[in-house]
Amino acid sequence: MALQPSLRPLLIAGKLDAPHTLDVFLDYVCPFSGKLSVTIDKIVKPWVEAGGRYEGKIKIIFRNQVQPWHGASTFTHEAGLAVARVTPNKFWPFSLRLLQRQGEYYDIPTSTLTPVQIREKLASLYAETDVTSDQVEAFRDLLRNKSTPNGGVSVTDELKYTIKFSRQNGVHVSPSVLWDGLLANEISSSWGETEWAQFLQQKVAV
């Protein structure tokens, strides 16, 4: 699947020229996305990386799946995209940390916070991923509203791209997974090693 150059950090495992693509659409404040992210990280990702059984055969791409009915969803995805811009190698570690701490960004905990306060909370979370103070400030700067009243922030264009990508591919819920460009509705957040092993064995000729 296509991946514009500025979003290369969203390639979380494998090489860009791998013949098979696993697109994983996750929302940072979706509990089921949180569950699937752990499985992807602990089970599937090692199979795709150097020395794994599917090295050179599969790439895994994180796809931002904004769920606007959750008030903080947009802010969390902006944060992920800002991390991808400032420290590309920290995108997946930050994403995992955010998915593990997602309860702090649920509707009720954020209901009394302003957008500025939510973004500052996300900056504090980013600071926990072994980055410098300058990088944290660069992150904050990307999430500051532009000078025009309705201009968004510096990663708004990337956010628009990810939303349009989901829409044109008919992705409506999180988590969703595409295998080689087609929705794989059989994949569940409850899958473990056995189910993933069977799925990939059927799809990939080792």
Side-chain angles (χ1 to χ4, degrees), residues 2-138:
L3 188 62
Q4 71 177 33
S6 67
L7 294 179
R8 289 286 170 82
L10 275 60
L11 176 70
I12 61 173
K15 296 181 179 179
L16 199 59
D17 61 355
H20 295 290
T21 304
L22 192 71
D23 288 292
V24 185
F25 292 75
L26 303 175
D27 178 28
Y28 287 121
V29 293
C30 166
F32 299 104
S33 291
K35 188 175 180 180
L36 181 59
S37 71
V38 174
T39 306
I40 293 294
D41 187 62
K42 301 298 183 184
I43 297 174
V44 185
K45 191 168 175 282
W47 289 344
V48 174
E49 294 175 330
R53 66 181 75 170
Y54 296 114
E55 179 187 357
K57 296 180 181 295
I58 302 172
K59 58 181 172 290
I60 304 174
I61 299 176
F62 178 105
R63 298 290 186 177
N64 300 80
Q65 180 64 11
V66 180
Q67 305 285 40
W69 46 87
H70 295 306
S73 181
T74 295
F75 301 121
T76 58
H77 286 283
E78 286 176 342
L81 294 168
V83 172
R85 180 92 69 88
V86 178
T87 48
N89 65 318
K90 298 293 185 181
F91 172 76
W92 182 236
F94 172 81
S95 294
L96 284 174
R97 186 179 293 268
L98 178 51
L99 284 157
Q100 291 164 1
R101 301 263 294 274
Q102 62 182 198
E104 299 174 25
Y105 300 89
Y106 283 174
D107 296 346
I108 291 178
T110 58
S111 62
T112 59
L113 300 179
T114 67
V116 171
Q117 289 172 323
I118 294 171
R119 286 168 173 152
E120 184 55 36
K121 185 176 176 67
L122 288 161
S124 297
L125 187 69
Y126 175 52
E128 296 176 15
T129 60
D130 191 27
V131 291
T132 67
S133 58
D134 287 345
Q135 289 168 334
V136 175
E137 187 53 38

